[in-house]
Amino acid sequence: MIARVSLEIALRKEFDYSIPPELEGQVDVGSRVQVPFGARKVLGVVTAAAEESGHANLKPIIKVIGTQTLVTAKVLKLARWIGEYYCCAPETALRSVLPEAVRKEDAGWRERLFVRVLPVIGGFPKLPKSQQRVWNIIEERRGILLAELAALASTTAATIRKLEDRGLVSITNEISVRDPYANETILASQPIVLNPAQAVALQKIKAAMNRNEDRELKIEDGKREPSSTLLLHGVTGSGKTEIYLQAIAHSLEQGKGAIVLVPEISLTPQTVERFKARFSSGKLQTLVAVLHSHLSAGERHDEWHKIRQGRARIAIGARSAIFAPVEPLGLIIVDEEHESTYKQEESPRYHARDVAVMRGQMENAVVVLGSATPSMESFYNCKIGKFTLLDLPERVDNQKMPHVRVVDMRQTARDGKGPPIFSPQLKEAITQRLERKEQTILFLNRRGYSTSLQCPKCGYLANCPNCSITLTYHRPEQKLACHICGHVEKVPPACPEPKCKNPAIRFAGTGTQKVEDILGKLFPHARIRRMDADVMKRKDDYQRVLGEFRRGKIDILIGTQMIAKGLHFPNVTLVGIIYADMALHQPDFRAAERTFQLLTQVAGRAGRGEVEGEVFVQAFTPFHPAIQFARRHDFIGFYEQEIEFRKQLKYPPSSRAALLTLKGRNEDKVKFSAEHLKRELEKLTKSTAASAAVVSTLVDDAGLFDEGVKLNTRGACVPQANAFRDLIISGPSPAPLLRAENFYRYQIMLRTRAMSRLSQVLAHIVGKLVLPDDVMLAVDIDPANLG
Ligand code: ADP
Ligand code: ZN
């Protein structure tokens, strides 16, 4: 037999190896193997088995890693799709489906020495005092870790070994599972009686699950099955999580498992606890496994294998948990589906939400996407009938939404002296909260003290030497820092221009440090804390400060993005957004959408308790629709207006986009290469023969991902001569951030509704494209960020 192996070193190619007799029966599709490659030994995954090979003199596989195949056939298929759709090497896609801790050859189960009591044969011997003490402990515990026993009895392993010599105990190596939640006692929770809106939503999810159970996967000619992806739209506190929990219970009843994706930042102990409390207390301890980047490598290894072995049926984790080997899979939940952290910003540049939809399709599982502010993409998919919309219009506790006031900062700027940071209205509101002993959150998504340093005389501006942005002033360390590449320099005492030397240089712009500073002067008695990447250095800092805030030890919390999400503090009655329009001015077609989501989220932090909340949104463009719709908590209104803009300009979701970025140290070369690439794209996409030649074997996604592409009876894509008639190629143009980390970047943007087909053509072009050695190309399908 012959095994076809995809090697971990990216070569965009698979290689054949023979299976030596001693490994017969151990090598399967999905096995991780070590194979010779030239003089090296490399790791890879078996992707297929074959009777014969086109090559002679095959080298044998050296060894198989693990006792089970690590990449299941289903995950392998998903990885292949990722390679094709996201236009990356198959081995890159394959590598991303296994956590590093599982992939590495040396990570394994931790074996530890256990001491166990043996039945006493004959009379019990008289023991020396030290051994008797050890025995007393073991006799009570029956089995105990050797190390723990030695510590408890304040003795050495040698003493314990003497008991083994006497035949009283056995000492053996056993697997000891590293459970990151071992020290937590979690109280079991029971399903809550749902309110009418929740009940309708759950009933529709269950109906989709039952339908999936019944049907055989067959796609009728051109006709879509009722959608198995549902979008659950409901504000925070509307009871989405409770629906997830009950839908998972239904999946377990059907004998199937579930995957729950949450953004990394929401993967807090509280979130995990809610799932464990329902499914993983008492006897069912292992039912929930958590895949989290904060776990140790060993814990991650063990949690993953719990899933692979079927002991855990529910996997919770951030982005990459979408590859968890849950089998059979009945349900995938993507909470906060609009979050851009679901998009991986390095190759493979996949979007976990879209991979979830694909995986659901492949494995006949139901996918539930949840959000208070759904992405334009998902809501659009509901409108065109690909997804089913489920609505939870109210909070479970009938609490009112906070009252949002928009403050026109142009007014404040005209009236005041110096930079307007706090409008009189916001200042007044903070004063009230301090008097009433209520808490305030202030939000500004920019760290540092000042955002630029300028000489008013000669116009000198302190820029990063490696990137095309200004340096940010950090006052505590008296340094200027680049927030892109990390470059740091000292603050000059005077203008560094040799001909100028003006000592009166000026800082401008506001970051969180300045807000903290000025706030301290305005309210000297308030207890103020700042939360941003500069002060949150250690893993537990975040939880610690939030704990203090929760216990009322902090009056005002200032923070960046970090405090925007999922926090729930009943005593917070005021939220101030310092510059609401900051994110609006970014050169990205999603700027308004991001602003709307951010304002809605941040505003949602106010009034989670008895007292109604109040939100002050300070803005220089107070009448911008994103701000006004957020003020009225009107998602639908925002969507309706935004979709018109997207349709007119043919931006996603009315079409799909791909961003090709070329980068290199020599700007001319980069620009030239970009122009060359554009000509190639024009040539190839125009020739229909070429585009028809690259139809893939894995195109059952076409119905999901491309519009206007016909499916034939087997679900395969029928090549159409005019598949690219809607293609728009724009650029090349300098990236919004032309230079980053000393690389110049130029971009070409492609837009079409037939993206799966375009990906194939792109792969073809990228494969043949000849670029100068020092120019690199990155392909980003469905980019989340245009920077
Ligand atoms: P979301 O996920 O939308 O933020 P949750 O499911 O967390 O909402 O619900 C918010 C709170 O309300 C939780 O404490 C939850 O236990 C509770 N809750 C959810 N559904 C109900 C219900 N039908 N009746 C009473 N309380 C509920
Ligand atoms: Zn820089």
Side-chain angles (χ1 to χ4, degrees), residues 420-437:
I421 298 178
F422 296 103
S423 59
Q425 295 94 314
L426 180 57
K427 258 187 270 184
E428 172 60 30
I430 296 174
T431 311
Q432 277 176 10
R433 293 321 182 285
L434 289 172
E435 282 165 4
R436 300 208 298 249
K437 307 232 175 306

Side-chain angles (χ1 to χ4, degrees), residues 6 98 132 144 247 374 383 462 490 498 506 538 560 596 610 615:
S6 168
L98 291 178
Q132 184 65 43
I144 184 171
K383 292 272 174 180
K490 278 208 217 108
R506 211 179 274 158
R538 298 206 353 243
T560 52
F596 177 83
E610 306 280 288
V615 180

Side-chain angles (χ1 to χ4, degrees), residues 662 669 673-674 676-677 768-777:
L662 287 126
K669 269 198 211 174
S673 306
H676 170 63
L677 173 58
K768 289 204 311 191
L769 190 70
V770 184
L771 290 175
D773 281 347
D774 49 354
V775 176
M776 287 163 282
L777 168 65

Side-chain angles (χ1 to χ4, degrees), residues 198 414 429 450 466 660 746 754 785:
Q198 283 175 308
R414 275 195 295 273
S450 300
N466 311 316
L660 311 183
Y746 275 75
N785 253 306

Side-chain angles (χ1 to χ4, degrees), residues 192-195 198 234-242 274 396:
I192 301 175
V193 179
L194 300 181
N195 67 29
Q198 283 175 308
V235 293
T236 329
S238 57
K240 297 189 292 297
T241 310
E242 185 58 35
R274 285 189 72 179
V396 169

Side-chain angles (χ1 to χ4, degrees), residues 464 466-467 482 484-487 741:
C464 175
N466 311 316
C467 311
C482 171
I484 298 287
C485 72
H487 167 87
E741 302 183 63

Side-chain angles (χ1 to χ4, degrees), residues 98-158:
L98 291 178
E100 168 116 355
V102 173
R103 207 155 35 84
K104 276 222 192 112
E105 196 203 349
D106 48 349
W109 294 98
R110 180 177 56 173
E111 295 203 338
R112 298 180 72 183
L113 292 172
F114 267 89
V115 186
R116 289 191 192 281
V117 174
L118 292 175
V120 182
I121 301 160
F124 192 80
K126 171 120 185 66
L127 298 174
K129 229 178 169 174
S130 60
Q131 290 178 34
Q132 184 65 43
R133 204 173 58 227
V134 175
W135 173 256
N136 291 345
I137 297 171
I138 307 179
E139 200 186 11
E140 194 187 301
R141 295 280 291 266
R142 308 309 289 177
I144 184 171
L145 275 175
L146 180 83
E148 195 185 341
L149 177 61
L152 274 175
S154 346
T155 185
T156 58

